[in-house]
Amino acid sequence: MIFPSEAWRFIPQKPPFVFVTRLIRCEEGYAETEFDVPRDCVLVSGGFLYEGGIAEFMAQSCAVYVGCRDFLAGRKEPQTGVLGAVSRMKIDLLPPAGCRLSCRVEVMGDFYGMLMFNARVCMDCGNVVKTVAEGRLTTSRLYE
């Protein structure tokens, strides 16, 4: 597989609720994604992406990791998942619409469809990268 790749291929979400633009890298236990925050995003208000949008970007970044992993294993359609928990989320700065966010997902454990991971979201401000959020999330994949 050649990266970067369009991330929407690996998740079940559809517009206007897609919060990940590109999959930059996907390896065992690790993924990097990007999100170009559109001005008309459903979770942008007053020109800024709010906390729920940042949490959704982290969750969808994890879903992209799962979808890419499953795709490489031969699965054709992305699985539906449920965000189980968000904890220790710290947001230093709300990102403005029009900026590019990046997310690094590191898998901490995968237990019978329950994926636990850490995520770090950063915002590119020209040559300066500022940490926007850190979180520990849990997702559960549902099997058809």
Side-chain angles (χ1 to χ4, degrees):
M1 177 170 285
I2 299 173
F3 296 106
S5 179
E6 295 171 325
W8 59 266
R9 301 172 35 190
F10 304 111
I11 58 174
Q13 289 85 354
K14 304 292 179 226
F17 217 74
V18 174
F19 284 77
V20 61
T21 307
R22 265 172 237 79
L23 173 60
I24 302 300
R25 181 173 289 116
C26 186
E27 299 173 9
E28 184 64 35
Y30 163 80
E32 287 182 21
T33 61
E34 291 181 340
F35 178 43
D36 297 324
V37 181
R39 298 189 191 290
D40 62 350
C41 177
V42 295
L43 294 179
V44 166
S45 181
F48 292 92
L49 180 67
Y50 273 76
E51 293 88 347
I54 297 168
E56 190 62 30
F57 174 45
M58 291 190 311
Q60 287 188 22
S61 293
C62 182
V64 166
Y65 165 78
V66 171
C68 181
R69 179 190 68 186
D70 289 353
F71 176 80
L72 292 173
R75 190 172 179 103
K76 301 293 182 210
E77 295 293 322
Q79 296 185 54
T80 302
V82 176
L83 180 62
V86 176
S87 63
R88 297 186 312 154
M89 186 165 166
K90 179 183 171 215
I91 298 174
D92 297 326
L93 178 68
L94 291 177
C99 77
R100 176 171 290 166
L101 300 178
S102 61
C103 183
R104 178 182 172 100
V105 172
E106 293 182 42
V107 176
M108 307 307 290
D110 192 350
F111 310 101
Y112 303 103
M114 178 79 58
L115 189 71
M116 295 178 60
F117 63 95
N118 287 325
R120 177 182 292 265
V121 176
C122 296
M123 178 175 57
D124 184 357
C125 299
N127 293 329
V128 179
V129 177
K130 297 181 180 177
T131 300
V132 175
E134 289 185 48
R136 183 174 179 95
L137 299 92
T138 305
T139 67
S140 177
R141 291 181 287 153
L142 302 176
Y143 297 98
E144 288 86 28

